[in-house]
Amino acid sequence: MSNPIRATIELVEDSRNQGRQLTAKGQATRARILAVAAELVLRNGVAGTQIEDVRKAAGVSGSQMTHYFQDKRTLIKDVITWQADATVETHHRPELGELDTFAAWRNWAELITQQQVGRGFQGGCDFGSLAGQLVESSQETRSDLADGYERLLRLFRRGLQAMRDRGDLREDADPDALAHALLAAMQGGILLSQTLRRAAPLRDSFDAALTQLESFATDH
Amino acid sequence: MSNPIRATIELVEDSRNQGRQLTAKGQATRARILAVAAELVLRNGVAGTQIEDVRKAAGVSGSQMTHYFQDKRTLIKDVITWQADATVETHHRPELGELDTFAAWRNWAELITQQQVGRGFQGGCDFGSLAGQLVESSQETRSDLADGYERLLRLFRRGLQAMRDRGDLREDADPDALAHALLAAMQGGILLSQTLRRAAPLRDSFDAALTQLESFATDH
């Protein structure tokens, strides 16, 4: 049925295409610049982050910087794609498998919760934080963020559709609607737990979405 | 049973205490400064917003500014409280009543959805946007934001507890957990709809949390 390896390749191909011509060292440099840029953008916003600040903080030369990023617009776009890649890759850990069983969804919620507990709820969801901070900064940036969420929604839907095709979920289960609810529960739950610095809001939020998912289980 | 008027007074008393000594004109000036400050903070972050920028944008004198706000710390704190007040007051519209029936919760979800549709999903949740952008800016600011969420959670819990006391909700319904799930569904759903500029994520997110709430209904 579903093929996790092919799925991973499809989902991360955007970033691979961008990095394809780079050597391993070049890819590492590019990743370091993106990590630094993400941190600065989260701290100071798009308007408050200049290419020169990123260059200094990453410790690279001006010519290296322009080699990887033509301008600020390219840099912001790549920061968003890079963070979306990282979030999508979190969903392809071997222990998680495809999100196409009820157990896998419970494991997924537990994994995300443990990640947040492990960091003391600091920083919240990396992609969600970028979305919350940059969504209104420009139409282009909003569209890049929307692409990131759409990739996650596709990943969720594929697992849910497989569950319906297999007969685990009833015919009246809507994979689109369930994917929205699961992703919203994750984003809202993380923001509450991040602000309140306790796990209960995230756990309770996941539990509501998972209970609804499980309410569509067939009897077999 | 529950008294909406007393509840409203309790929930907004923070802001009333701060504004108590001001004339109507003074309160209007203070509100204008706070609205301008909220907008600037959302656009430029805490670090990128100076008292002087707020003063200019609000069109008030330096002495007026210092009359209402001693320093930037007070201003940021008051922006958060003011935005929390506005969000809490949204939940006290006459057409909504207390959030203590299943119908009231469905109406609540519809009201929030219509608000977002009406603004074309731009700006998202005003309080949630502040939370997403400011939560990691300082320990004090995070704590002010947490207070805002706690006020909303108390409001939600009070309605849910009334439903349980009345026997609408089963004994095993946990008002704390349900309040977390409903607030997270609202925050996550709005962020997704804001980014994707369509209503379905918010509707589906609310539907999951409301379905879980309704699953605790007694048979009577």
Short mmCIF file of all heavy atoms in Angstrom, two decimals, chain A residues 121-123 132-133 135-136 142 145-146 149-150 153 177 180-181 183-184 187-189 191-192 194-198 200-201 204-205 207-208 211-212, chain B residues 121-123 132-133 135-136 142 145-146 149-150 153 177 180-181 183-184 187-189 191-192 194-198 200-201 204-205 207-208 212:
data_model
loop_
_atom_site.label_atom_id
_atom_site.label_comp_id
_atom_site.label_asym_id
_atom_site.label_seq_id
_atom_site.Cartn_x
_atom_site.Cartn_y
_atom_site.Cartn_z
N PHE A 121 8.81 23.53 26.85
CA PHE A 121 7.78 24.28 26.11
C PHE A 121 8.33 25.57 25.51
O PHE A 121 7.57 26.39 25.01
CB PHE A 121 6.55 24.57 26.99
CG PHE A 121 6.01 23.34 27.64
CD1 PHE A 121 6.24 23.09 28.99
CD2 PHE A 121 5.32 22.40 26.90
CE1 PHE A 121 5.77 21.93 29.58
CE2 PHE A 121 4.85 21.24 27.48
CZ PHE A 121 5.08 21.01 28.83
N GLN A 122 9.65 25.77 25.57
CA GLN A 122 10.23 26.99 25.02
C GLN A 122 10.28 26.95 23.49
O GLN A 122 10.72 25.97 22.92
CB GLN A 122 11.64 27.22 25.55
CG GLN A 122 11.63 27.76 26.96
CD GLN A 122 13.02 28.10 27.46
OE1 GLN A 122 13.85 28.54 26.69
NE2 GLN A 122 13.25 27.88 28.74
N GLY A 123 9.85 28.04 22.89
CA GLY A 123 9.95 28.15 21.43
C GLY A 123 8.75 27.58 20.70
O GLY A 123 8.54 27.91 19.53
N GLY A 132 2.93 32.20 12.80
CA GLY A 132 2.30 33.22 13.64
C GLY A 132 2.96 34.58 13.49
O GLY A 132 2.30 35.61 13.54
N GLN A 133 4.27 34.58 13.29
CA GLN A 133 4.98 35.86 13.25
C GLN A 133 5.02 36.48 11.86
O GLN A 133 5.08 37.69 11.73
CB GLN A 133 6.42 35.67 13.76
CG GLN A 133 6.42 35.22 15.20
CD GLN A 133 7.65 35.70 15.95
OE1 GLN A 133 8.31 36.65 15.56
NE2 GLN A 133 7.95 35.04 17.04
N VAL A 135 2.94 35.61 9.03
CA VAL A 135 1.80 35.40 8.13
C VAL A 135 1.29 36.70 7.50
O VAL A 135 0.88 36.70 6.34
CB VAL A 135 0.66 34.62 8.84
CG1 VAL A 135 0.20 35.31 10.10
CG2 VAL A 135 -0.52 34.37 7.91
N GLU A 136 1.35 37.81 8.24
CA GLU A 136 0.84 39.06 7.66
C GLU A 136 1.95 39.96 7.12
O GLU A 136 1.70 41.11 6.78
CB GLU A 136 -0.01 39.82 8.70
CG GLU A 136 -1.19 39.06 9.28
CD GLU A 136 -2.26 38.66 8.26
OE1 GLU A 136 -2.21 39.13 7.10
OE2 GLU A 136 -3.15 37.86 8.63
N ARG A 142 3.10 34.82 3.19
CA ARG A 142 1.93 34.06 3.61
C ARG A 142 1.75 32.84 2.72
O ARG A 142 1.46 31.73 3.21
CB ARG A 142 0.66 34.93 3.56
CG ARG A 142 -0.55 34.25 4.18
CD ARG A 142 -1.85 34.89 3.82
NE ARG A 142 -2.11 34.91 2.39
CZ ARG A 142 -2.41 33.84 1.65
NH1 ARG A 142 -2.50 32.66 2.20
NH2 ARG A 142 -2.62 33.97 0.36
N LEU A 145 4.20 30.16 3.64
CA LEU A 145 3.78 29.49 4.88
C LEU A 145 2.61 28.54 4.60
O LEU A 145 2.55 27.43 5.14
CB LEU A 145 3.38 30.53 5.93
CG LEU A 145 4.54 31.38 6.47
CD1 LEU A 145 4.00 32.63 7.17
CD2 LEU A 145 5.40 30.56 7.44
N ALA A 146 1.68 28.99 3.75
CA ALA A 146 0.54 28.15 3.40
C ALA A 146 1.04 26.86 2.74
O ALA A 146 0.52 25.77 3.03
CB ALA A 146 -0.42 28.91 2.47
N TYR A 149 2.05 24.42 5.43
CA TYR A 149 0.90 23.76 6.07
C TYR A 149 0.25 22.76 5.11
O TYR A 149 -0.18 21.68 5.54
CB TYR A 149 -0.13 24.79 6.53
CG TYR A 149 0.17 25.40 7.89
CD1 TYR A 149 0.02 26.75 8.13
CD2 TYR A 149 0.58 24.59 8.95
CE1 TYR A 149 0.28 27.31 9.38
CE2 TYR A 149 0.83 25.13 10.21
CZ TYR A 149 0.69 26.49 10.41
OH TYR A 149 0.94 27.02 11.65
N GLU A 150 0.19 23.11 3.82
CA GLU A 150 -0.44 22.18 2.86
C GLU A 150 0.35 20.87 2.77
O GLU A 150 -0.23 19.80 2.61
CB GLU A 150 -0.55 22.83 1.46
CG GLU A 150 -1.49 24.02 1.38
CD GLU A 150 -2.99 23.68 1.48
OE1 GLU A 150 -3.35 22.55 1.83
OE2 GLU A 150 -3.79 24.61 1.22
N LEU A 153 -0.66 18.88 5.72
CA LEU A 153 -2.03 18.40 5.55
C LEU A 153 -2.08 17.23 4.56
O LEU A 153 -2.80 16.26 4.77
CB LEU A 153 -2.96 19.54 5.09
CG LEU A 153 -3.26 20.60 6.16
CD1 LEU A 153 -4.01 21.79 5.54
CD2 LEU A 153 -4.08 20.00 7.31
N ALA A 177 -11.18 16.96 6.56
CA ALA A 177 -11.64 17.58 7.81
C ALA A 177 -10.84 17.06 9.00
O ALA A 177 -10.45 17.83 9.89
CB ALA A 177 -13.13 17.32 8.00
N HIS A 180 -7.38 18.68 9.04
CA HIS A 180 -7.46 20.05 9.59
C HIS A 180 -7.52 20.03 11.11
O HIS A 180 -6.83 20.79 11.78
CB HIS A 180 -8.73 20.75 9.07
CG HIS A 180 -8.66 21.19 7.64
ND1 HIS A 180 -9.77 21.30 6.85
CD2 HIS A 180 -7.61 21.57 6.86
CE1 HIS A 180 -9.42 21.73 5.64
NE2 HIS A 180 -8.11 21.90 5.63
N ALA A 181 -8.40 19.18 11.64
CA ALA A 181 -8.61 19.16 13.10
C ALA A 181 -7.35 18.70 13.83
O ALA A 181 -6.98 19.25 14.87
CB ALA A 181 -9.79 18.26 13.44
N LEU A 183 -4.15 18.91 12.76
CA LEU A 183 -3.10 19.93 12.67
C LEU A 183 -3.43 21.14 13.55
O LEU A 183 -2.54 21.69 14.23
CB LEU A 183 -2.90 20.35 11.21
CG LEU A 183 -1.74 21.31 10.94
CD1 LEU A 183 -0.40 20.76 11.45
CD2 LEU A 183 -1.62 21.62 9.43
N ALA A 184 -4.70 21.54 13.55
CA ALA A 184 -5.10 22.68 14.40
C ALA A 184 -4.92 22.34 15.88
O ALA A 184 -4.48 23.19 16.67
CB ALA A 184 -6.54 23.08 14.12
N GLN A 187 -1.25 22.77 16.59
CA GLN A 187 -0.78 24.16 16.60
C GLN A 187 -1.36 24.94 17.78
O GLN A 187 -0.63 25.65 18.46
CB GLN A 187 -1.16 24.84 15.28
CG GLN A 187 -0.42 24.27 14.08
CD GLN A 187 1.07 24.55 14.12
OE1 GLN A 187 1.53 25.56 13.65
NE2 GLN A 187 1.83 23.66 14.73
N GLY A 188 -2.65 24.79 18.03
CA GLY A 188 -3.26 25.51 19.15
C GLY A 188 -2.78 24.97 20.49
O GLY A 188 -2.50 25.73 21.41
N GLY A 189 -2.68 23.65 20.59
CA GLY A 189 -2.23 23.03 21.83
C GLY A 189 -0.80 23.44 22.17
O GLY A 189 -0.49 23.74 23.33
N LEU A 191 0.78 26.20 21.20
CA LEU A 191 0.81 27.62 21.58
C LEU A 191 0.34 27.81 23.03
O LEU A 191 0.95 28.57 23.79
CB LEU A 191 -0.05 28.46 20.62
CG LEU A 191 -0.13 29.96 20.95
CD1 LEU A 191 1.24 30.63 20.94
CD2 LEU A 191 -1.08 30.68 19.98
N LEU A 192 -0.72 27.10 23.42
CA LEU A 192 -1.19 27.22 24.82
C LEU A 192 -0.15 26.67 25.79
O LEU A 192 0.15 27.29 26.82
CB LEU A 192 -2.51 26.47 25.01
CG LEU A 192 -3.77 27.07 24.38
CD1 LEU A 192 -5.01 26.33 24.88
CD2 LEU A 192 -3.91 28.55 24.73
N GLN A 194 3.02 26.35 25.31
CA GLN A 194 4.19 27.23 25.28
C GLN A 194 3.96 28.45 26.19
O GLN A 194 4.84 28.86 26.95
CB GLN A 194 4.43 27.69 23.84
CG GLN A 194 5.60 28.65 23.68
CD GLN A 194 5.71 29.19 22.25
OE1 GLN A 194 4.82 28.98 21.42
NE2 GLN A 194 6.80 29.88 21.97
N THR A 195 2.77 29.03 26.11
CA THR A 195 2.48 30.23 26.89
C THR A 195 2.29 29.90 28.37
O THR A 195 2.77 30.62 29.24
CB THR A 195 1.21 30.93 26.34
OG1 THR A 195 1.36 31.13 24.93
CG2 THR A 195 1.00 32.28 27.02
N LEU A 196 1.62 28.79 28.65
CA LEU A 196 1.30 28.44 30.04
C LEU A 196 2.39 27.58 30.67
O LEU A 196 2.36 27.34 31.89
CB LEU A 196 -0.05 27.72 30.09
CG LEU A 196 -1.24 28.58 29.61
CD1 LEU A 196 -2.47 27.72 29.37
CD2 LEU A 196 -1.55 29.68 30.63
N ARG A 197 3.35 27.12 29.87
CA ARG A 197 4.46 26.29 30.34
C ARG A 197 4.00 25.06 31.12
O ARG A 197 4.53 24.74 32.18
CB ARG A 197 5.42 27.11 31.21
CG ARG A 197 6.17 28.22 30.46
CD ARG A 197 7.25 27.70 29.54
NE ARG A 197 8.24 28.70 29.16
CZ ARG A 197 8.30 29.31 27.96
NH1 ARG A 197 7.41 29.02 27.01
NH2 ARG A 197 9.25 30.18 27.70
N ARG A 198 2.96 24.40 30.60
CA ARG A 198 2.54 23.12 31.16
C ARG A 198 1.95 22.25 30.06
O ARG A 198 1.44 22.76 29.06
CB ARG A 198 1.56 23.28 32.32
CG ARG A 198 0.37 24.17 32.07
CD ARG A 198 -0.41 24.43 33.38
NE ARG A 198 -1.30 25.55 33.26
CZ ARG A 198 -2.56 25.51 32.83
NH1 ARG A 198 -3.08 24.37 32.46
NH2 ARG A 198 -3.30 26.60 32.76
N ALA A 200 -0.62 20.05 30.03
CA ALA A 200 -2.05 19.68 29.96
C ALA A 200 -2.79 20.24 28.75
O ALA A 200 -3.53 19.50 28.10
CB ALA A 200 -2.75 20.06 31.27
N PRO A 201 -2.61 21.52 28.40
CA PRO A 201 -3.38 22.01 27.25
C PRO A 201 -3.08 21.22 25.96
O PRO A 201 -4.01 20.88 25.23
CB PRO A 201 -2.90 23.47 27.11
CG PRO A 201 -2.46 23.85 28.48
CD PRO A 201 -1.86 22.61 29.06
N ASP A 204 -4.63 17.67 26.27
CA ASP A 204 -6.10 17.71 26.18
C ASP A 204 -6.56 18.04 24.76
O ASP A 204 -7.58 17.55 24.29
CB ASP A 204 -6.67 18.74 27.17
CG ASP A 204 -6.37 18.34 28.62
OD1 ASP A 204 -6.18 17.14 28.88
OD2 ASP A 204 -6.32 19.25 29.48
N SER A 205 -5.77 18.90 24.11
CA SER A 205 -6.11 19.28 22.74
C SER A 205 -5.96 18.08 21.80
O SER A 205 -6.85 17.79 20.98
CB SER A 205 -5.19 20.42 22.32
OG SER A 205 -5.34 20.72 20.97
N ASP A 207 -6.07 15.02 22.68
CA ASP A 207 -7.05 14.00 23.06
C ASP A 207 -8.41 14.25 22.40
O ASP A 207 -9.08 13.31 21.95
CB ASP A 207 -7.19 13.95 24.58
CG ASP A 207 -7.82 12.64 25.03
OD1 ASP A 207 -7.29 11.58 24.64
OD2 ASP A 207 -8.86 12.68 25.71
N ALA A 208 -8.80 15.52 22.31
CA ALA A 208 -10.09 15.84 21.66
C ALA A 208 -10.05 15.44 20.19
O ALA A 208 -10.97 14.79 19.69
CB ALA A 208 -10.39 17.33 21.80
N THR A 211 -9.94 11.61 19.86
CA THR A 211 -11.23 11.01 20.22
C THR A 211 -12.19 11.13 19.04
O THR A 211 -12.92 10.19 18.72
CB THR A 211 -11.82 11.72 21.45
OG1 THR A 211 -10.91 11.56 22.54
CG2 THR A 211 -13.17 11.11 21.84
N GLN A 212 -12.17 12.31 18.39
CA GLN A 212 -13.05 12.47 17.23
C GLN A 212 -12.63 11.50 16.12
O GLN A 212 -13.46 10.83 15.51
CB GLN A 212 -13.02 13.91 16.71
CG GLN A 212 -14.19 14.19 15.76
CD GLN A 212 -13.81 15.10 14.61
OE1 GLN A 212 -12.64 15.33 14.32
NE2 GLN A 212 -14.83 15.64 13.95
N PHE B 121 -10.00 36.60 7.11
CA PHE B 121 -8.99 35.84 7.85
C PHE B 121 -7.72 36.65 8.11
O PHE B 121 -6.71 36.11 8.59
CB PHE B 121 -8.64 34.52 7.14
CG PHE B 121 -9.85 33.71 6.80
CD1 PHE B 121 -10.33 33.65 5.50
CD2 PHE B 121 -10.55 33.06 7.80
CE1 PHE B 121 -11.49 32.94 5.20
CE2 PHE B 121 -11.71 32.34 7.51
CZ PHE B 121 -12.18 32.28 6.20
N GLN B 122 -7.74 37.94 7.81
CA GLN B 122 -6.55 38.76 8.03
C GLN B 122 -6.36 39.08 9.51
O GLN B 122 -7.30 39.48 10.18
CB GLN B 122 -6.64 40.07 7.25
CG GLN B 122 -6.33 39.88 5.77
CD GLN B 122 -6.30 41.19 5.03
OE1 GLN B 122 -5.88 42.20 5.57
NE2 GLN B 122 -6.75 41.16 3.79
N GLY B 123 -5.16 38.93 9.97
CA GLY B 123 -4.84 39.31 11.35
C GLY B 123 -5.08 38.20 12.36
O GLY B 123 -4.54 38.23 13.45
N GLY B 132 1.57 34.55 20.09
CA GLY B 132 2.53 33.91 19.18
C GLY B 132 3.79 34.74 18.98
O GLY B 132 4.88 34.22 18.84
N GLN B 133 3.61 36.06 18.98
CA GLN B 133 4.75 36.92 18.67
C GLN B 133 5.57 37.30 19.90
O GLN B 133 6.76 37.55 19.80
CB GLN B 133 4.27 38.20 17.99
CG GLN B 133 3.58 37.90 16.68
CD GLN B 133 3.74 39.02 15.66
OE1 GLN B 133 4.64 39.85 15.78
NE2 GLN B 133 2.88 39.02 14.68
N VAL B 135 5.48 35.66 23.13
CA VAL B 135 5.61 34.68 24.22
C VAL B 135 7.05 34.47 24.68
O VAL B 135 7.30 34.28 25.87
CB VAL B 135 4.91 33.35 23.85
CG1 VAL B 135 5.44 32.76 22.57
CG2 VAL B 135 5.00 32.33 24.98
N GLU B 136 8.01 34.53 23.75
CA GLU B 136 9.41 34.30 24.17
C GLU B 136 10.19 35.59 24.36
O GLU B 136 11.42 35.56 24.51
CB GLU B 136 10.12 33.40 23.15
CG GLU B 136 9.47 32.04 22.91
CD GLU B 136 9.41 31.12 24.14
OE1 GLU B 136 10.04 31.43 25.16
OE2 GLU B 136 8.69 30.10 24.05
N ARG B 142 5.62 36.77 28.95
CA ARG B 142 5.00 35.45 28.85
C ARG B 142 3.96 35.27 29.96
O ARG B 142 2.86 34.77 29.73
CB ARG B 142 6.05 34.33 28.94
CG ARG B 142 5.48 32.95 28.64
CD ARG B 142 6.38 31.83 29.08
NE ARG B 142 6.64 31.84 30.51
CZ ARG B 142 5.74 31.55 31.44
NH1 ARG B 142 4.51 31.22 31.12
NH2 ARG B 142 6.07 31.60 32.72
N LEU B 145 0.82 37.16 29.17
CA LEU B 145 0.04 36.44 28.16
C LEU B 145 -0.65 35.22 28.78
O LEU B 145 -1.81 34.92 28.46
CB LEU B 145 0.96 35.99 27.01
CG LEU B 145 1.51 37.13 26.14
CD1 LEU B 145 2.69 36.65 25.30
CD2 LEU B 145 0.42 37.70 25.23
N ALA B 146 0.07 34.53 29.66
CA ALA B 146 -0.52 33.37 30.34
C ALA B 146 -1.75 33.80 31.14
O ALA B 146 -2.77 33.11 31.14
CB ALA B 146 0.52 32.71 31.24
N TYR B 149 -4.71 34.00 28.80
CA TYR B 149 -5.27 32.69 28.49
C TYR B 149 -6.00 32.09 29.70
O TYR B 149 -7.04 31.46 29.56
CB TYR B 149 -4.18 31.73 28.00
CG TYR B 149 -3.86 31.86 26.53
CD1 TYR B 149 -2.54 31.85 26.07
CD2 TYR B 149 -4.87 31.96 25.57
CE1 TYR B 149 -2.25 31.95 24.71
CE2 TYR B 149 -4.59 32.06 24.22
CZ TYR B 149 -3.27 32.05 23.79
OH TYR B 149 -2.99 32.15 22.44
N GLU B 150 -5.45 32.30 30.89
CA GLU B 150 -6.09 31.75 32.09
C GLU B 150 -7.48 32.37 32.29
O GLU B 150 -8.40 31.70 32.75
CB GLU B 150 -5.23 31.97 33.33
CG GLU B 150 -3.89 31.21 33.35
CD GLU B 150 -4.01 29.70 33.55
OE1 GLU B 150 -5.14 29.15 33.48
OE2 GLU B 150 -2.96 29.06 33.76
N LEU B 153 -9.73 30.61 29.95
CA LEU B 153 -9.96 29.23 30.41
C LEU B 153 -10.94 29.21 31.59
O LEU B 153 -11.80 28.34 31.67
CB LEU B 153 -8.63 28.56 30.80
CG LEU B 153 -7.72 28.21 29.62
CD1 LEU B 153 -6.35 27.75 30.10
CD2 LEU B 153 -8.35 27.12 28.73
N ALA B 177 -10.07 19.94 31.12
CA ALA B 177 -9.58 19.35 29.86
C ALA B 177 -10.40 19.84 28.68
O ALA B 177 -9.85 20.17 27.61
CB ALA B 177 -9.64 17.82 29.95
N HIS B 180 -9.38 23.41 27.81
CA HIS B 180 -8.11 23.41 27.05
C HIS B 180 -8.36 23.07 25.59
O HIS B 180 -7.82 23.73 24.69
CB HIS B 180 -7.15 22.35 27.62
CG HIS B 180 -6.51 22.75 28.92
ND1 HIS B 180 -6.10 21.82 29.84
CD2 HIS B 180 -6.20 23.96 29.44
CE1 HIS B 180 -5.55 22.46 30.87
NE2 HIS B 180 -5.61 23.75 30.66
N ALA B 181 -9.14 22.01 25.36
CA ALA B 181 -9.35 21.55 23.98
C ALA B 181 -10.10 22.58 23.15
O ALA B 181 -9.77 22.82 21.98
CB ALA B 181 -10.10 20.21 23.98
N LEU B 183 -10.25 25.91 23.65
CA LEU B 183 -9.42 27.09 23.39
C LEU B 183 -8.31 26.78 22.37
O LEU B 183 -8.02 27.58 21.48
CB LEU B 183 -8.81 27.61 24.71
CG LEU B 183 -8.02 28.91 24.61
CD1 LEU B 183 -8.85 30.05 24.01
CD2 LEU B 183 -7.50 29.34 25.99
N ALA B 184 -7.72 25.59 22.48
CA ALA B 184 -6.68 25.20 21.52
C ALA B 184 -7.26 25.06 20.12
O ALA B 184 -6.63 25.46 19.13
CB ALA B 184 -6.01 23.89 21.95
N GLN B 187 -7.55 28.56 18.78
CA GLN B 187 -6.28 29.19 18.45
C GLN B 187 -5.61 28.53 17.24
O GLN B 187 -5.13 29.20 16.34
CB GLN B 187 -5.33 29.16 19.66
CG GLN B 187 -5.82 30.01 20.82
CD GLN B 187 -5.80 31.49 20.50
OE1 GLN B 187 -4.81 32.18 20.70
NE2 GLN B 187 -6.90 32.02 19.99
N GLY B 188 -5.58 27.20 17.24
CA GLY B 188 -4.96 26.50 16.11
C GLY B 188 -5.77 26.64 14.84
O GLY B 188 -5.21 26.86 13.75
N GLY B 189 -7.09 26.56 14.97
CA GLY B 189 -7.97 26.69 13.79
C GLY B 189 -7.84 28.07 13.16
O GLY B 189 -7.77 28.21 11.94
N LEU B 191 -5.24 30.14 13.36
CA LEU B 191 -3.92 30.29 12.73
C LEU B 191 -3.88 29.59 11.36
O LEU B 191 -3.35 30.14 10.39
CB LEU B 191 -2.81 29.73 13.64
CG LEU B 191 -1.39 29.79 13.07
CD1 LEU B 191 -0.96 31.22 12.74
CD2 LEU B 191 -0.38 29.15 14.03
N LEU B 192 -4.47 28.39 11.28
CA LEU B 192 -4.50 27.70 9.98
C LEU B 192 -5.35 28.46 8.97
O LEU B 192 -4.94 28.65 7.82
CB LEU B 192 -5.05 26.27 10.13
CG LEU B 192 -4.17 25.24 10.82
CD1 LEU B 192 -4.79 23.85 10.66
CD2 LEU B 192 -2.77 25.24 10.24
N GLN B 194 -6.10 31.60 8.99
CA GLN B 194 -5.41 32.86 8.68
C GLN B 194 -4.33 32.63 7.62
O GLN B 194 -4.19 33.40 6.67
CB GLN B 194 -4.78 33.42 9.96
CG GLN B 194 -4.01 34.71 9.76
CD GLN B 194 -3.27 35.15 11.02
OE1 GLN B 194 -3.19 34.41 12.00
NE2 GLN B 194 -2.73 36.35 11.00
N THR B 195 -3.56 31.55 7.77
CA THR B 195 -2.47 31.29 6.84
C THR B 195 -3.00 30.80 5.50
O THR B 195 -2.50 31.20 4.44
CB THR B 195 -1.51 30.25 7.44
OG1 THR B 195 -1.12 30.66 8.75
CG2 THR B 195 -0.25 30.09 6.58
N LEU B 196 -4.01 29.94 5.52
CA LEU B 196 -4.53 29.34 4.29
C LEU B 196 -5.64 30.19 3.66
O LEU B 196 -6.06 29.90 2.54
CB LEU B 196 -5.02 27.92 4.57
CG LEU B 196 -3.92 26.96 5.07
CD1 LEU B 196 -4.51 25.68 5.64
CD2 LEU B 196 -2.95 26.62 3.92
N ARG B 197 -6.12 31.22 4.40
CA ARG B 197 -7.17 32.10 3.90
C ARG B 197 -8.42 31.36 3.44
O ARG B 197 -9.00 31.66 2.40
CB ARG B 197 -6.64 32.99 2.75
CG ARG B 197 -5.55 33.98 3.16
CD ARG B 197 -6.11 35.15 3.96
NE ARG B 197 -5.22 36.31 3.99
CZ ARG B 197 -4.45 36.66 5.04
NH1 ARG B 197 -4.44 35.92 6.15
NH2 ARG B 197 -3.71 37.76 4.98
N ARG B 198 -8.80 30.34 4.22
CA ARG B 198 -10.08 29.68 3.97
C ARG B 198 -10.66 29.19 5.30
O ARG B 198 -9.92 28.94 6.25
CB ARG B 198 -9.95 28.53 2.96
CG ARG B 198 -8.84 27.55 3.23
CD ARG B 198 -8.71 26.55 2.06
NE ARG B 198 -7.44 25.84 2.09
CZ ARG B 198 -7.23 24.68 2.69
NH1 ARG B 198 -8.20 24.07 3.32
NH2 ARG B 198 -6.02 24.12 2.67
N ALA B 200 -12.41 26.40 6.12
CA ALA B 200 -12.54 24.98 6.47
C ALA B 200 -11.67 24.54 7.67
O ALA B 200 -12.17 23.84 8.55
CB ALA B 200 -12.25 24.11 5.25
N PRO B 201 -10.40 24.95 7.75
CA PRO B 201 -9.61 24.47 8.90
C PRO B 201 -10.22 24.88 10.24
O PRO B 201 -10.27 24.07 11.17
CB PRO B 201 -8.24 25.13 8.68
CG PRO B 201 -8.16 25.37 7.22
CD PRO B 201 -9.56 25.70 6.79
N ASP B 204 -13.49 22.86 10.83
CA ASP B 204 -13.20 21.45 11.14
C ASP B 204 -12.58 21.30 12.53
O ASP B 204 -12.83 20.32 13.24
CB ASP B 204 -12.27 20.85 10.08
CG ASP B 204 -12.92 20.82 8.70
OD1 ASP B 204 -14.17 20.79 8.64
OD2 ASP B 204 -12.18 20.83 7.70
N SER B 205 -11.78 22.29 12.90
CA SER B 205 -11.14 22.26 14.21
C SER B 205 -12.18 22.42 15.32
O SER B 205 -12.20 21.67 16.31
CB SER B 205 -10.10 23.38 14.26
OG SER B 205 -9.58 23.51 15.54
N ASP B 207 -15.29 21.74 15.01
CA ASP B 207 -16.19 20.60 14.98
C ASP B 207 -15.63 19.43 15.79
O ASP B 207 -16.37 18.74 16.50
CB ASP B 207 -16.44 20.18 13.53
CG ASP B 207 -17.70 19.32 13.44
OD1 ASP B 207 -18.75 19.79 13.91
OD2 ASP B 207 -17.61 18.19 12.94
N ALA B 208 -14.31 19.23 15.71
CA ALA B 208 -13.69 18.14 16.48
C ALA B 208 -13.86 18.38 17.98
O ALA B 208 -14.25 17.48 18.74
CB ALA B 208 -12.21 18.00 16.12
N GLN B 212 -16.29 16.23 20.61
CA GLN B 212 -15.83 15.62 21.86
C GLN B 212 -16.66 16.11 23.04
O GLN B 212 -17.07 15.32 23.88
CB GLN B 212 -14.34 15.92 22.09
CG GLN B 212 -13.75 14.99 23.17
CD GLN B 212 -12.72 15.67 24.05
OE1 GLN B 212 -12.64 16.89 24.11
NE2 GLN B 212 -11.93 14.86 24.73
#
